[in-house]
């Protein structure tokens, strides 16, 4: 059982659902894929404990570079610690996703160059299990998209293909909010092979 929390569209559940039943919580959670949407405030999460893994996406606006340029960070909530508490309460293990500037504990940083993608999309992940930090390689591609903004000249289909998902999701969400599928698969492989070695962890090697 996998919980995905702070996830209205839950594009990442396209990958997560290949590893088990996914229940997804968001203010405006949509029925978009094989996950089970629950409309609720994640800060008052209606889920019960007992999941194998919780994947949490607390808002990153407070830590975004664009917010620091054009607005006041203090106008946006810091829900990292609340997300950590939810992960610890609801599941055997957790993954918290955010921007690298966010106050995560010992995060692993992933970007597109590590996976041969034509996009940068640098994201940070705090995990309750050990994750090896991949090496940073110079991109072999002649053109790498560094801007995630939906008003670029890239199409919805391009963003879907670059991030590894079906193209039925909105372009803006695919460009700005969706975590590339290879990142999710990498973290899940680490979870399945290493979580059993963490304190109190179960053996997921046969999953």
């Amino acid at each position: 059982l996998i919980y995905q929390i702070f996830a209205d569209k839950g594009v990442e559940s396209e990958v997560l659902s290949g590893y088990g039943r996914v229940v997804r919580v968001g203010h405006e959670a949509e029925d978009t894929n094989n996950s089970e949407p629950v409309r609720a405030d994640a800060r008052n999460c209606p889920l019960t404990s007992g999941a194998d893994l919780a994947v949490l996406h607390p808002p990153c606006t407070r830590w975004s570079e664009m917010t620091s340029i054009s607005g006041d960070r203090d106008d946006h909530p810091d829900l990292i610690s609340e997300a950590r508490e939810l992960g610890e309460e609801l599941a055997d293990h957790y993954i918290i996703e955010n921007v690298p500037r966010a106050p995560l504990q010992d995060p692993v940083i992933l970007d597109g160059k590590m996976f041969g993608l034509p996009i940068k999309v640098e994201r940070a992940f705090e995990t309750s299990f050990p994750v090896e930090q991949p090496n940073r390689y110079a991109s072999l591609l002649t053109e790498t998209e560094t801007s995630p903004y939906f008003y670029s000249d890239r199409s919805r289909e391009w963003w879907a293909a670059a991030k590894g998902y079906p193209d039925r999701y909105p372009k803006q969400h695919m460009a700005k909010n969706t975590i590339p599928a290879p990142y999710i698969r990498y973290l899940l492989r680490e979870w399945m092979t290493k979580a059993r070695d963490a304190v109190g962890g179960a053996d997921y090697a046969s999953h």
Side-chain angles (χ1 to χ4, degrees):
L1 175 61
I2 299 173
Y3 290 157
Q4 189 180 15
I5 303 174
F6 299 101
D8 288 340
K9 289 187 168 36
V11 181
E12 297 81 7
S13 286
E14 297 280 354
V15 174
L16 295 173
S17 61
Y19 293 78
R21 176 188 169 205
V22 179
V23 178
R24 177 166 47 84
V25 175
H27 267 299
E28 299 180 2
E30 302 176 15
D31 189 5
T32 53
N33 49 47
N34 289 334
S35 61
E36 302 170 24
V38 176
R39 287 199 169 197
D41 184 343
R43 291 172 295 180
N44 296 297
C45 190
L47 303 179
T48 58
S49 61
D52 298 299
L53 178 70
V55 180
L56 306 105
H57 311 269
C60 65
T61 313
R62 183 182 181 91
W63 317 110
S64 170
E65 292 183 4
M66 293 304 297
T67 302
S68 64
I69 293 172
S70 60
D72 188 341
R73 292 195 319 172
D74 292 337
D75 291 339
H76 304 279
D78 173 8
L79 300 182
I80 299 293
S81 59
E82 291 187 39
R84 186 178 300 119
E85 291 174 3
L86 279 173
E88 293 173 343
E89 175 187 348
L90 296 175
D92 291 341
H93 293 283
Y94 67 80
I95 299 170
I96 302 175
E97 170 269 323
N98 218 277
V99 296
R101 292 162 58 102
L104 299 173
Q105 295 178 355
D106 300 319
V108 60
I109 308 297
L110 302 181
D111 68 50
K113 292 181 180 180
M114 298 171 182
F115 301 92
L117 303 182
I119 48 179
K120 184 176 181 181
V121 192
E122 191 175 55
R123 302 297 284 188
F125 301 87
E126 176 185 327
T127 63
S128 62
F129 51 91
V131 175
E132 183 176 350
Q133 173 66 60
N135 292 325
R136 294 173 180 267
Y137 296 105
S139 177
L140 299 178
L141 301 172
T142 57
E143 184 176 1
T144 300
E145 179 65 69
T146 59
S147 170
Y149 291 99
F150 66 97
Y151 49 73
S152 74
D153 59 358
R154 303 296 187 180
S155 68
R156 182 187 68 184
E157 292 79 8
W158 187 92
W159 281 106
K163 292 195 172 183
Y165 295 104
D167 66 3
R168 62 174 175 267
Y169 297 95
K171 176 180 175 179
Q172 176 178 355
H173 188 80
M174 289 297 302
K176 294 179 67 176
N177 303 110
T178 301
I179 306 306
Y183 299 13
I184 303 297
R185 292 192 180 96
Y186 177 76
L187 293 167
L188 290 178
R189 284 196 300 270
E190 295 286 284
W191 167 58
M192 293 176 69
T193 58
K194 296 180 179 178
R196 65 182 183 273
D197 297 327
V199 176
D203 187 348
Y204 298 103
S206 61
H207 280 47

